[in-house]
Amino acid sequence: MAQAVRLAPKATVVPPRFEAYAEASAGVFAILESVTPLVEPLSLDEAFLDVTASRALHGDAGGIARKLRTQIADRLHLAASAGIAEVKFAAKIASDLAKPNGQLEVPVGGTRAFLAPLPVSRLWGVGPKTEGVLHGLGLRTIGAIAECEPAWLEGRLGSAGPTLWELSRGIDPRLVIPERQAKSIGAEDTFERDRDDTEGLETSIHAQALRVGQRLRLAGLRARSVQLKLKLSDFTLLTRSTTLDRPTDDGQALYRIVRELLGRTPLERPVRLTGVSAHDLVGPEEPQLALFAPPKPRATPLNAALDAIQKKFGSTAVTTADLAGSDLAADDEIRRKMGASRLIKPRSP
DNA sequence: TCTGGGGTCCTAGGACCC
DNA sequence: TCTGGGGTCCTAGGACCC
């Protein structure tokens, strides 16, 4: 947006409508799941489908893709593209090449030939850095990688070498996995202007810790470790993390820890972004390994009450004193998931 | 190309344990 | 107190993806 506004100073800037995208996404996934339960979301608007067992009922893969795309167009008025292949990442590339609003099928047994002329950057796991390394080795196409000795590639790229070699030959053993448990949950915000006042930074990570805590409770998870993230004015990234004595889903507990981490992190520059994330997530049913039963956390009933209030009246209905009136407490995603229908501003801190 | 927010996976050193 | 080999866990950083 910064770039766009610079180029077109008079442009009208329209805020994103995350709720609308989520609603459309749910509609698309409902259509996809009418064909097979083996739907693996890749993002809000992309998914892998394993239709191996669906063909007897729904016809061949190409026909299934056409049918799904027609339904998406008819019911949701959205364009959709599809890639069909024997392995996941080839299907993904085929769908990228079919955009917009097309579909591309890689013939059975033809994966390696399909990939060979494509640039190395098309491979999953090859970003700008790895692309530079590969170009330095004289490798520009996926076919060129396929011709290499995997051991030679390993010497130059580490363990990524043999993996890229396999992919270049169309070997991709990854299965379509419908439900995947989150491995981390985080919240981060870039400031309007860089700042270095402790109070402002603490307010920011407080709001983020509370958002993370709420999302943990929504997912029925607790965190065993917490990470503080700071991006400085020169874009250098700092992370500080701690492992907890006991897993928690309490935002205030997360905040106490990241505030401590912030306190012992000397900052040489103003801060551009702060972030808080929860890692090593465990479910609520995790067996208790402590020798003595731990005391029931005091925060649990409080959080349940706060969650209920926010579900009913919106995410800004009740918050901590330092966040009152600040827009940092709002989290559209939480509001959407909880189904809150209206927003009530606090009348006084 | 002056860089948002949500993630995943990997590496590497050091502390610590047997 | 030192030595050696095998291992886990914790922490920080980086590449990559949508």
Side-chain angles (χ1 to χ4, degrees), chain A residues 145-161:
Chain A
I145 296 179
E147 300 296 328
C148 292
E149 279 297 323
W152 181 82
L153 280 172
E154 187 169 17
R156 262 134 270 253
L157 294 161
S159 70

Side-chain angles (χ1 to χ4, degrees), chain A residues 225-286:
Chain A
S225 70
V226 200
Q227 186 184 68
L228 168 71
K229 178 167 158 181
L230 300 169
K231 197 187 272 182
L232 306 185
S233 56
D234 65 346
F235 284 88
T236 53
L237 208 57
L238 299 179
T239 60
R240 295 290 178 269
S241 62
T242 311
T243 298
L244 284 54
D245 300 334
R246 181 180 307 147
T248 187
D249 59 8
D250 176 26
Q252 296 288 12
L254 298 177
Y255 171 54
R256 284 193 290 273
I257 294 157
V258 288
R259 188 181 53 188
E260 155 77 22
L261 290 174
L262 176 66
R264 66 165 117 113
T265 308
L267 298 173
E268 294 175 357
R269 294 188 162 73
V271 177
R272 180 184 175 81
L273 162 152
T274 70
V276 175
S277 55
H279 300 257
D280 296 314
L281 306 181
V282 296
E285 77 288 351
E286 195 76 3

